Amino acid sequence: MLLPLLRRSCFPSSTPGGGGGGGSAERVEGARGPGARGRRPEREPYACMDPSAALHRRPAGGSLGAVSPALSGGQARRRKQPPRPADFKLQVIIIGSRGVGKTSLMERFTDDTFCEACKSTVGVDFKIKTVELRGKKIRLQIWDTAGQERFNSITSAYYRSAKGIILVYDITKKETFDDLPKWMKMIDKYASEDAELLLVGNKLDCETDREISRQQGEKFAQQITGMRFCEASAKDNFNVDEIFLKLVDDILKKMPLDVLRNELSNSILSLQPEPEIPPELPPPRPHVRCC
Amino acid sequence: MAEKLPTEFDVVIIGTGLPESILAAACSRSGQRVLHVDSRSYYGGNWASFSFTGLQSWLKDYQQNHDSEEGVTATWQDLIHETEEAISLRKKDETIQHTEVFCYASQDVEDSVQDTETLQRSSPLEASATPADSLDSASLPKERQSAYSTSYEVPSRHTEESDRELSLPSANVEDSLEKEKYCGDKTDMHTVSGEDKGEHKLVVQDSIEQPKRNRITYSQMVKESRRFNIDLVSKPLYSQGSLIDLLIKSNVSRYAEFKNVTRILAFWEGKVEQVPCSRADVFNSKELSMVEKRMLMKFLTFCLDYEQHSDEYQDFKQCSFSDYLKTKKLTPNLQHFILHSIAMTSESSCTTLDGLQATKNFLQCLGRFGNTPFIFPLYGHGEIPQCFCRMCAVFGGVYCLRHKVQCLVVDKDSGRCKGIIDAFGQRISANYFIVEDSYLPKETCSNVQYKQISRAVLITDQSILKTDSDQQISILVVPPLEPGTTSVRVMELCSSTMTCMKDSYLVHLTCSSSKTAREDLEPVVKQLFIPEAEAEAGKDELRKPRLLWALYFNMRDSSGVSRSSYCGLPSNVYICSGPDWGLGSEHAVKQAETLFQEIFPSEEFCPPPPNPEDIIFEAEG
């Protein structure tokens, strides 16, 4: 039995179906089973929520630029005047052993929510958040494991197009740290060599139960070329935005612009092209906030 | 990892091939609690794809014939009640036969000079590359580092054109490392091939005479192993086919990316030629005369709505399509193009109506995504079952690879299957069971007549038809070379499909078997390619791509088996077949949909899921 959480409870008024506009996004209405129940009842009130959610957010690290309010593709589609399309689309995946807080980190970042009672991940595919960094608008797609890590059965396809990989362990559970080599093996096998790696020791709020010292985490990350390390708490919202923004920043730094541009035009077909992304990139915006 | 599986599900699915995976997604999507297991360590069963070294360990598994009963399995007899009986599942997969490997690429004598120094370093790498589970963390960073150095090497190779640079004396510490690591496999191959004598000498000569041609060595292929994604069955997708429709409808397409198949080729009078298929292609074709262009266009236009012109083919309904084409004022090469490359049918068996329908289907698929009727998934077709598995997992399906199921537990009275017992002696109950054919025990399949597919996988250094672009994805149907044999389908993939390393091509050959895979396919391979070791500076050899590595195997084709030919199946056990030899995956999609509707007649098959951002569920504790 599955219970819908969070957003549904925020907006109990249920007018299934939502607004106008044609296209594939609307076919959702035909959804049955648990999916149908999971549909967000109204997009507009949620869209209004976002700016305030962003206000509560901790400011991002100084050199990283401001975070724009989350704008999902769905909202953008519904607006009369669509916002400036994202310059890039980046895929980031989160991996790590069961129960280390992968989904919590993701939801803290994308929705600024934390769910104490969350058991294990069901029904979370990926989340989208648009961030602005280095004067670029980046549509960040954050993929969750869909629970396939539970019995060590993540598909190789999951790793394929990730530009960034967040590897998470729980500082209060040694076995999740001991599993890291196993995860590195999967990364080596399936992920792109250019993918940025970030090691995160989560659950910093449980300092008293700590089993893995900061130094141990640091040491592990140092052994791996280009791997960054930090500790965070999804519960206390400590270092969460920084994790994602730092990762995106690293990806952008490493990846020359034309690579990203090529990726949009190198004849790879995505059967459902994202409507927001224009075939060619608009010129970079003149005003750059920082960096 | 010591965690135990839950013991109650609605649907248990055994095998992660394409039809099982589609069914898993469909069941999970409609709210069923799904357990999806596979005894193998990888997704896809016979639909899987492998890296270069991964494929070799797969081969090894099949070459070791002995039924190794490793990992003492818990006894299940005690877990069966008196009113129950067990159908024990097959322990060893027997769907792959006649595997033969030939390595023609140079095996790098010069590299071994440096071996002494590098030997010590190889040990940690070796440890991390073996499937042994315990990994010391110290070895891993190195692997990552080496992966990085590989990626830096690629661009440099590209800029420095000369082949000299490629076989750099410094090429390279890792080369020899890898060589050490995989020498086991190599000996294996030597014994099979027996064709590599004198090869090194020849290769050395070659590289002096033809510095233009890239030399890919065996150790480079091993080093770049993960660049290869070699499908056991490689199928393109019809751009108007049922698999694409399902991918789009169910939103599973968001997990995969594709490329257009760029060319349809024909093998005509001993040469490979490009077949013009779109209107623009026909008019731009340099091979066809003006008259031929008109003839072809006229015929293709007719085929698009041939049903409206029944007078044109009425009298030929009983004839074969090839005889019909002879009456249509088409030159022999046009007849050949239409028969083999557009309708893609075999000479003898295809009727006029089937041929017209196939031609129409081909034409209708044109232009949806590109210039040919096909697209191909990046990283290979083996990604597709995984994509459906992810959809299943997103909706709560539980996934467990490397999980053996010992038996199905059947209630004697009702004749229905109640549960399974896994290798840990755990009993898991469910209402419906979906089992892939290869798991069924011999007794159940005793009346079944299986067909076979002959497959070859080749790694080559050039395209079978060179053009300005070296990034072509091509499909070629080679008509029967001798009467009584079948036509052979060839799919050539370039490196941008992410299925092979830079400057190489991955070529898949497929036909329905009449003999062993090598006997069926080697004649075609010889027509199209020349083994690296035999290539000399002659003219003809310059044109033919060189064969660096080849694998032949036969795969069991269970697609035509009807349910009634299995003995003693409980009514709630449903069987999925392995891959068929057909071009697309329509059979697997159809099978999955049919079975789903049999099991859940009132449920919609793979409806589109809600927006991913909107689904947040909590599993009950």
Side-chain angles (χ1 to χ4, degrees):
Chain A
M1 174 67 192
L2 304 167
L3 300 168
L5 262 194
L6 299 173
R7 288 180 182 161
R8 282 287 298 197
S9 49
C10 299
F11 302 104
S13 71
S14 134
T15 46
S24 58
E26 297 310 312
R27 287 185 303 177
V28 166
E29 278 134 50
R32 306 167 56 108
R37 286 181 290 137
R39 185 179 160 75
R40 185 196 300 153
E42 274 290 334
R43 282 168 191 267
E44 282 70 18
Y46 179 69
C48 298
M49 271 291 284
D50 269 333
S52 61
L55 285 182
H56 294 308
R57 205 170 286 266
R58 296 159 54 92
S63 65
L64 293 174
V67 192
S68 76
L71 275 178
S72 78
Q75 290 149 14
R77 270 195 289 278
R78 259 149 233 271
R79 297 221 168 151
K80 290 261 163 68
Q81 281 187 315
R84 184 169 68 95
D87 297 325
F88 308 122
K89 192 176 80 177
L90 286 184
Q91 251 184 43
V92 169
I93 60 171
I94 307 186
I95 56 173
S97 299
R98 193 176 186 216
V100 295
K102 297 179 292 295
T103 312
S104 298
L105 283 169
M106 178 175 83
E107 287 182 346
R108 172 62 81 187
F109 177 65
T110 56
D111 310 330
D112 204 11
T113 54
F114 180 79
C115 170
E116 190 85 51
C118 276
K119 289 287 188 311
S120 58
T121 302
V122 176
V124 181
D125 199 353
F126 60 85
K127 297 217 164 213
I128 292 171
K129 177 160 170 155
T130 306
V131 296
E132 266 187 67
L133 217 56
R134 298 177 165 248
K136 292 280 173 293
K137 202 162 181 179
I138 296 132
R139 205 170 133 85
L140 195 57
Q141 233 184 29
I142 305 159
W143 291 69
D144 203 350
T145 55
Q148 285 180 320
E149 83 282 14
R150 184 166 166 197
F151 298 102
N152 210 3
S153 304
I154 292 187
T155 59
S156 52
Y158 178 66
Y159 295 88
R160 296 294 189 198
S161 37
K163 294 272 185 291
I165 300 173
I166 299 176
L167 176 52
V168 188
Y169 68 92
D170 177 347
I171 62 161
T172 69
K173 287 209 178 65
K174 182 166 181 301
E175 60 272 24
T176 67
F177 184 78
D178 295 340
D179 277 345
L180 294 179
K182 183 194 86 188
W183 289 109
M184 282 310 301
K185 194 180 158 195
M186 297 298 280
I187 292 173
D188 281 328
K189 221 167 154 185
Y190 299 122
S192 151
E193 286 123 344
D194 305 326
E196 283 295 326
L197 302 182
L198 175 66
L199 179 66
V200 175
N202 191 27
K203 308 203 182 171
L204 198 57
D205 48 284
C206 306
E207 185 65 55
T208 47
D209 298 327
R210 188 194 268 277
E211 287 183 6
I212 299 298
S213 70
R214 195 186 154 78
Q215 288 72 26
Q216 280 173 287
E218 253 164 15
K219 201 176 153 209
F220 185 91
Q222 274 165 8
Q223 289 175 306
I224 290 155
T225 319
M227 183 182 241
R228 286 182 183 272
F229 170 70
C230 78
E231 292 188 329
S233 163
K235 189 178 176 188
D236 293 353
N237 196 4
F238 178 74
N239 254 350
V240 177
D241 285 351
E242 286 80 350
I243 290 172
F244 287 93
L245 295 174
K246 190 74 208 149
L247 188 69
V248 173
D249 194 53
D250 283 347
I251 296 169
L252 293 185
K253 244 191 273 174
K254 188 163 172 181
M255 194 174 299
L257 232 100
D258 48 325
V259 171
L260 286 162
R261 192 169 287 144
N262 280 342
E263 296 220 336
L264 292 180
S265 59
N266 71 351
S267 74
I268 292 176
L269 298 169
S270 153
L271 294 188
Q272 287 150 307
E274 304 266 347
E276 281 81 17
I277 295 183
E280 66 250 29
L281 287 171
R285 275 215 305 192
H287 77 275
V288 176
R289 257 176 243 213
C290 63
C291 309
Chain B
M1 252 135 283
E3 196 184 354
K4 274 199 167 178
L5 282 171
T7 54
E8 256 185 64
F9 289 91
D10 298 315
V11 184
V12 169
I13 302 177
I14 304 171
T16 52
L18 185 58
E20 304 96 275
S21 301
I22 296 173
L23 267 166
C27 292
S28 172
R29 190 60 198 83
S30 76
Q32 307 297 319
R33 294 167 302 166
V34 175
L35 171 65
H36 199 175
V37 296
D38 198 309
S39 60
R40 302 166 173 101
S41 59
Y42 51 86
Y43 278 96
N46 280 349
W47 299 81
S49 53
F50 295 98
S51 67
F52 187 60
T53 51
L55 186 67
Q56 291 178 351
S57 14
W58 175 83
L59 276 169
K60 242 185 203 165
D61 281 354
Y62 279 101
Q63 283 162 354
Q64 290 167 350
N65 282 325
H66 53 89
D67 269 34
S68 54
E69 204 85 334
E70 12 80 23
V72 184
T73 46
T75 51
W76 46 266
Q77 280 80 1
D78 307 343
L79 295 159
I80 308 275
H81 304 286
E82 257 175 40
T83 57
E84 295 167 346
E85 57 191 355
I87 301 177
S88 60
L89 296 184
R90 205 180 284 232
K91 292 186 183 72
K92 179 89 187 158
D93 185 284
E94 282 158 15
T95 55
I96 304 294
Q97 283 178 307
H98 310 300
T99 60
E100 291 179 72
V101 178
F102 300 87
C103 181
Y104 304 101
S106 147
Q107 312 234 358
D108 275 342
V109 248
E110 61 272 46
D111 278 344
S112 54
V113 182
Q114 306 172 335
D115 273 0
T116 37
E117 190 211 329
T118 56
L119 261 174
Q120 309 98 305
R121 261 193 58 195
S122 76
S123 45
L125 257 177
E126 204 164 359
S128 65
T130 50
D133 288 327
S134 61
L135 282 163
D136 56 328
S137 59
S139 72
L140 276 154
K142 274 186 196 151
E143 202 174 343
R144 177 76 183 172
Q145 271 165 2
S146 70
Y148 270 111
S149 70
T150 313
S151 77
Y152 291 136
E153 218 172 66
V154 174
S156 78
R157 171 186 312 166
H158 207 50
T159 45
E160 295 153 17
E161 299 262 75
S162 119
D163 160 52
R164 299 271 157 167
E165 297 291 338
L166 229 181
S167 54
L168 287 166
S170 66
N172 153 330
V173 182
E174 266 134 40
D175 269 16
S176 42
L177 273 181
E178 298 284 340
K179 209 178 140 191
E180 282 304 310
K181 186 160 74 184
Y182 290 102
C183 57
D185 299 33
K186 250 183 331 190
T187 31
D188 224 319
M189 274 183 286
H190 277 289
T191 54
V192 197
S193 76
E195 282 199 16
D196 42 3
K197 346 163 181 138
E199 162 185 330
H200 299 311
K201 213 173 93 198
L202 270 172
V203 168
V204 174
Q205 279 174 3
D206 275 0
S207 58
I208 296 162
E209 284 161 23
Q210 304 166 26
K212 278 277 155 60
R213 279 184 94 150
N214 279 333
R215 224 12 41 100
I216 294 173
T217 61
Y218 178 74
S219 58
Q220 275 174 324
M221 292 192 283
V222 171
K223 194 177 82 184
E224 303 261 322
S225 163
R226 42 164 301 183
R227 308 255 167 238
F228 291 92
N229 281 293
I230 303 170
D231 287 322
L232 295 184
V233 280
S234 206
K235 290 167 179 286
L237 283 74
Y238 276 102
S239 60
Q240 301 277 9
S242 53
L243 182 54
I244 288 200
D245 288 347
L246 178 63
L247 284 165
I248 292 175
K249 175 189 167 202
S250 63
N251 255 349
V252 171
S253 59
R254 69 161 71 114
Y255 307 134
E257 289 176 312
F258 299 85
K259 279 204 157 227
N260 280 309
V261 171
T262 56
R263 303 184 297 190
I264 305 294
L265 304 177
F267 192 69
W268 171 245
E269 292 180 334
K271 275 193 337 205
V272 176
E273 284 182 32
Q274 182 163 355
V275 175
C277 29
S278 68
R279 180 183 289 266
D281 275 359
V282 171
F283 285 109
N284 290 331
S285 167
K286 291 189 186 95
E287 276 85 27
L288 300 182
S289 72
M290 208 53 203
V291 183
E292 283 176 319
K293 286 178 186 180
R294 288 217 189 96
M295 285 193 277
L296 184 58
M297 274 317 294
K298 188 171 169 233
F299 184 75
L300 294 182
T301 314
F302 152 70
C303 285
L304 261 176
D305 56 352
Y306 74 93
E307 291 101 329
Q308 316 299 319
H309 308 278
S310 57
D311 48 309
E312 295 248 5
Y313 57 88
Q314 202 57 277
D315 302 339
F316 302 94
K317 270 186 174 171
Q318 307 304 318
C319 302
S320 71
F321 189 47
S322 60
D323 287 340
Y324 173 67
L325 289 176
K326 285 179 192 139
T327 70
K328 295 306 287 182
K329 287 190 196 146
L330 295 161
T331 53
N333 60 330
L334 289 182
Q335 289 175 33
H336 178 96
F337 285 177
I338 294 165
L339 187 63
H340 297 291
S341 303
I342 294 182
M344 297 194 178
T345 62
S346 64
E347 193 111 19
S348 48
S349 59
C350 178
T351 68
T352 301
L353 276 182
D354 291 345
L356 287 171
Q357 183 54 45
T359 308
K360 181 180 174 180
N361 183 36
F362 182 100
L363 296 170
Q364 280 179 331
C365 287
L366 286 175
R368 181 172 187 186
F369 299 109
N371 232 358
T372 72
F374 305 103
I375 61 173
F376 187 76
L378 286 190
Y379 302 100
H381 195 274
E383 298 284 291
I384 303 295
Q386 297 184 30
C387 295
F388 283 98
C389 290
R390 179 170 169 97
M391 180 58 87
C392 173
V394 164
F395 285 91
V398 174
Y399 273 83
C400 203
L401 297 177
R402 301 168 217 87
H403 200 90
K404 287 201 172 70
V405 174
Q406 298 198 69
C407 64
L408 304 173
V409 181
V410 184
D411 184 71
K412 278 182 189 163
D413 290 341
S414 64
R416 286 175 67 85
C417 184
K418 293 162 78 179
I420 57 167
I421 294 173
D422 69 12
F424 304 105
Q426 193 187 358
R427 192 173 159 137
I428 296 164
S429 62
N431 299 325
Y432 302 100
F433 300 84
I434 294 161
V435 184
E436 200 261 315
D437 168 86
S438 67
Y439 287 88
L440 293 171
K442 285 202 179 73
E443 309 80 67
T444 309
C445 308
S446 53
N447 291 337
V448 178
Q449 290 288 323
Y450 289 109
K451 288 177 290 178
Q452 296 283 332
I453 305 169
S454 287
R455 287 275 294 115
V457 174
L458 316 174
I459 298 170
T460 68
D461 71 337
Q462 283 186 29
S463 173
I464 43 176
L465 181 61
K466 285 175 276 295
T467 51
D468 340 336
S469 164
D470 62 353
Q471 294 298 310
Q472 300 273 8
I473 306 172
S474 319
I475 293 177
L476 162 70
V477 177
V478 180
L481 294 176
E482 288 165 42
T485 60
T486 57
S487 55
V488 172
R489 193 171 66 236
V490 182
M491 184 144 86
E492 184 187 73
L493 303 169
C494 58
S495 60
S496 66
T497 60
M498 316 299 258
T499 58
C500 56
M501 66 184 279
K502 212 166 176 34
D503 299 323
S504 76
Y505 291 84
L506 181 65
V507 185
H508 290 281
L509 286 84
T510 313
C511 73
S512 63
S513 305
S514 41
K515 291 173 243 160
T516 70
R518 183 159 75 92
E519 287 164 334
D520 281 338
L521 297 171
E522 201 173 43
V524 174
V525 172
K526 283 191 170 151
Q527 288 279 332
L528 297 173
F529 306 96
I530 179 127
E532 160 98 308
E534 289 165 28
E536 281 183 66
K539 244 196 200 163
D540 190 43
E541 280 70 27
L542 259 181
R543 237 184 293 122
K544 275 188 188 177
R546 292 176 186 205
L547 195 51
L548 304 172
W549 189 86
L551 156 70
Y552 297 93
F553 62 93
N554 288 85
M555 182 187 284
R556 191 159 89 184
D557 175 0
S558 50
S559 63
V561 180
S562 76
R563 187 188 165 86
S564 55
S565 33
Y566 296 106
C567 317
L569 275 187
S571 57
N572 58 340
V573 172
Y574 300 84
I575 307 302
C576 285
S577 59
D580 61 321
W581 84 277
L583 182 57
S585 303
E586 329 305 299
H587 181 270
V589 176
K590 192 162 175 232
Q591 181 173 57
E593 186 164 4
T594 311
L595 289 181
F596 181 77
Q597 265 144 16
E598 223 173 283
I599 306 172
F600 304 110
S602 60
E603 292 286 324
E604 194 185 344
F605 180 64
C606 289
N611 191 315
E613 306 171 273
D614 302 341
I615 352 163
I616 301 166
F617 293 116
E618 188 198 7
E620 209 173 40

